[in-house]
Amino acid sequence: MAKSRRNVRFQHRSNGSERRLSVSDVSEAASEPGSPGKNGSVAKSEPIQEEKPEDKQVSEYEKKKQTFITRTIWTFVMIAGFFIAMFSGHIYIIIIVTAVQIVSFKEVIAIANIPSKEKNLRFTKSLNWYFLATTMYFLYGESVIYYFKHVLLVDKVLLPFATHHRFISFMLYIMGFVFFVGSLQKGHYRFQFTQFAWTHMALYLIVVQAHFIMNNVFEGMIWFFLPVSLVITNDIFAYVCGITFGRTQLIKLSPKKTVEGFIGAWICTIIFGYFMTNILMRYKYFICPVNDLGANVLTGLECTPNPVFTPQPYTLPHWTGINKTFHVAPMQFHILTFATFASLIAPFGGFFASGLKRTFKIKDFGESIPGHGGITDRMDCQFIMGFFAYMYYHSFIAVYKASVGDIIETAITGLTVDEQLEVVKGLGKYLYNQGAVSEKIVECLNTELRRR
């Protein structure tokens, strides 16, 4: 009795329809080098080509090469754009800082978003942006009032906004708070409160800290450029020293960071800061506070330099045996503190960002900058450094004296109209005695005052 043959196909049993080959049929056909074709001839099967390890290495190399090229191009684009904006005027730097605030806030908020839940909650994103707008209104309003109160307080329309700015900001925030509570939905409480807390964390760590960087611009371009350049320089030298001398891992959050690179970058950053400060102190465009937002590097700025930029005589102690006097600007001593903070403390802003990304299992905060990731990936250390620069400047360097805006504010808020007129009359007499105004102006002023 003949045995039945398995896997034998009979063409006359196809019932007029073609039989579709299954995956097993294809694999079997591929394994039989001499399987007959439809015309009875023996078809040569082509073996499936597997990707060789060499090909994988080449494709990986090409990918890294393309990423490196893109990253390099955009690095030079950002550097060129930064210097063009800085030399074009303070207002352009302020615009850049504002854009960085907004984009960084968007990137951080997007990390904790759950799209499926956002579809069921209509106002989640709207509330995030509302709180951002409210915070920026408060912070920018505080800065504008502080630096330009001599303009705002004499304007009839802007005066109410200037004098009641903090109350208006508070009420705007309360409106958002009430709306948030009213929008709570059953079954989504955890997600909504998580978003509320996450939004406020982003506002503090990004928007508030970045805002103080803008205040540094108003105090003088050097207080903006120097901290920024110190952080960038430290990052570069940490990489160079790390790959050259690095042996000991510094922190587990960033496995590539080494103790040797950390210390080497600190020393190099101090040296860079010393020489860079010597250069910047020579130009009033960098050391003068902003008194004209239309100024640029060509028009320049005029001011009485802060004493911190004026060289002072220093004599070495007698026990050194060197009886010599050196003239050094106090800023050269302050730069040691700036460089130390940029080297030893500011990098922990980057470590914090690395831990945050590891928590959410993401490589970058976004794709805002091709080859670099998101804005937040490049600014994680800059936020804390800018905040430190503002606090240090106002604690140890700033010279506090009454400004025109301070006097006007005191006169408007603390004196009656009659008392304000007496101040005007007294100032008129003083200016006449100093030869600043003519007698005719004083007479006209007194005539108008008598009519009242």
Side-chain angles (χ1 to χ4, degrees):
M1 183 176 179
K3 295 182 180 179
S4 60
R5 299 177 61 185
R6 296 181 180 179
N7 297 329
V8 176
R9 298 171 190 158
F10 299 93
Q11 295 182 1
H12 62 278
R13 294 186 181 179
S14 60
N15 294 329
S17 62
E18 295 184 357
R19 179 174 176 263
R20 295 183 179 179
L21 296 178
S22 63
V23 176
S24 59
D25 294 331
V26 174
S27 62
E28 289 177 2
S31 63
E32 297 176 3
S35 58
K38 289 184 179 180
N39 57 1
S41 63
V42 177
K44 295 182 179 180
S45 62
E46 296 182 0
I48 300 176
Q49 296 181 355
E50 295 183 358
E51 189 176 2
K52 299 179 181 179
E54 293 81 3
D55 296 335
K56 291 183 179 179
Q57 291 179 359
V58 172
S59 61
E60 189 68 23
Y61 170 78
E62 291 296 331
K63 184 178 179 181
K64 289 183 178 180
K65 180 181 178 181
Q66 186 61 39
T67 301
F68 175 79
I69 294 174
T70 304
R71 187 184 183 95
T72 303
I73 292 174
W74 277 93
T75 297
F76 285 107
V77 169
M78 288 189 294
I79 292 174
F82 172 78
F83 279 101
I84 291 173
M86 184 174 65
F87 292 135
S88 298
H90 300 73
I91 188 65
Y92 296 98
I93 293 295
I94 292 173
I95 292 173
I96 290 177
V97 173
T98 303
V100 167
Q101 280 181 308
I102 296 173
V103 176
S104 297
F105 177 81
K106 178 183 178 181
E107 291 176 349
V108 173
I109 287 297
I111 294 176
N113 283 348
I114 302 177
S116 60
K117 290 191 176 183
E118 283 188 351
K119 292 180 180 179
N120 299 326
L121 302 171
R122 296 172 52 191
F123 302 106
T124 301
K125 285 187 177 181
S126 300
L127 278 172
N128 290 338
W129 290 106
Y130 177 83
F131 283 123
L132 173 65
T134 301
T135 303
M136 294 185 69
Y137 172 80
F138 169 72
L139 294 174
Y140 279 68
E142 288 287 305
S143 296
V144 171
I145 292 172
Y146 180 80
Y147 292 102
F148 302 101
K149 62 178 66 176
H150 59 285
V151 176
L152 299 177
L153 296 177
V154 297
D155 189 280
K156 185 176 181 180
V157 177
L158 298 177
L159 178 61
F161 292 96
T163 54
H164 305 299
H165 171 71
R166 293 182 179 178
F167 180 77
I168 294 173
S169 302
F170 174 74
M171 292 308 299
L172 288 174
Y173 175 80
I174 289 299
M175 289 170 59
F177 177 80
V178 171
F179 188 83
F180 166 75
V181 176
S183 66
L184 291 174
Q185 296 183 19
K186 187 176 181 180
H188 299 282
Y189 294 152
R190 181 182 295 275
F191 173 75
Q192 289 181 289
F193 277 103
T194 299
Q195 286 292 306
F196 185 80
W198 188 260
T199 300
H200 284 69
M201 183 203 74
L203 290 174
Y204 171 72
L205 292 179
I206 295 176
V207 181
V208 174
Q209 290 191 124
H211 172 75
F212 287 105
I213 297 177
M214 188 188 74
N215 285 356
N216 293 338
V217 177
F218 283 125
E219 296 293 351
M221 190 66 79
I222 190 173
W223 306 113
F224 165 77
F225 177 73
L226 200 56
V228 169
S229 61
L230 288 174
V231 170
I232 296 174
T233 302
N234 179 260
D235 191 41
I236 294 173
F237 281 116
Y239 174 77
V240 174
C241 295
I243 62 175
T244 305
F245 311 106
R247 295 293 183 274
T248 309
Q249 187 180 22
L250 176 66
I251 188 170
K252 292 183 178 180
L253 282 173
S254 296
K256 295 182 181 180
K257 301 291 184 180
T258 61
V259 175
E260 293 80 4
F262 199 64
I263 302 301
W266 177 27
I267 297 172
C268 294
T269 303
I270 290 177
I271 297 173
F272 168 83
Y274 179 84
F275 288 102
M276 179 57 68
T277 303
N278 272 336
I279 296 173
L280 297 180
M281 288 192 305
R282 301 175 185 176
Y283 303 96
K284 287 189 175 182
Y285 180 74
F286 283 94
I287 64 176
C288 285
V290 178
N291 49 34
D292 180 13
L293 285 175
N296 54 51
V297 70
L298 298 178
T299 61
L301 292 171
E302 290 297 329
C303 68
T304 301
N306 190 308
V308 76
F309 301 116
T310 304
Q312 304 292 333
Y314 292 94
T315 304
L316 294 177
H318 295 290
W319 56 268
T320 60
I322 302 175
N323 187 16
K324 189 175 182 180
T325 301
F326 300 90
H327 287 79
V328 181
M331 185 60 194
Q332 296 292 11
F333 298 109
H334 290 296
I335 196 60
L336 298 177
T337 305
F338 276 78
T340 299
F341 188 91
S343 303
L344 305 184
I345 306 299
F348 281 85
F351 299 152
F352 177 86
S354 297
L356 192 62
K357 289 187 288 187
R358 289 176 182 273
T359 301
F360 289 93
K361 296 180 175 60
I362 58 175
K363 182 181 179 182
D364 298 312
F365 282 99
E367 299 178 354
S368 305
I369 310 174
H372 288 266
I375 290 288
T376 312
D377 294 290
R378 300 277 69 84
M379 295 296 297
D380 46 14
C381 300
Q382 296 288 358
F383 293 137
I384 191 172
M385 184 66 200
F387 199 181
F388 168 80
Y390 174 86
M391 293 300 179
Y392 187 90
Y393 171 80
H394 282 276
S395 298
F396 303 105
I397 298 176
V399 176
Y400 293 100
K401 59 181 180 180
S403 64
V404 176
D406 294 329
I407 300 301
I408 294 176
E409 181 182 22
T410 302
I412 291 176
T413 59
L415 301 177
T416 63
V417 175
D418 292 334
E419 291 172 333
Q420 293 169 4
L421 292 174
E422 288 296 324
V423 171
V424 173
K425 185 177 179 180
L427 286 174
K429 291 181 179 179
Y430 171 79
L431 293 174
Y432 170 72
N433 294 331
Q434 297 296 318
V437 297
S438 64
E439 184 178 1
K440 184 177 181 180
I441 293 177
V442 177
E443 291 177 353
C444 292
L445 183 61
N446 291 333
T447 302
E448 290 297 326
L449 292 176
R450 290 194 196 100
R451 291 179 180 178
R452 284 192 56 86

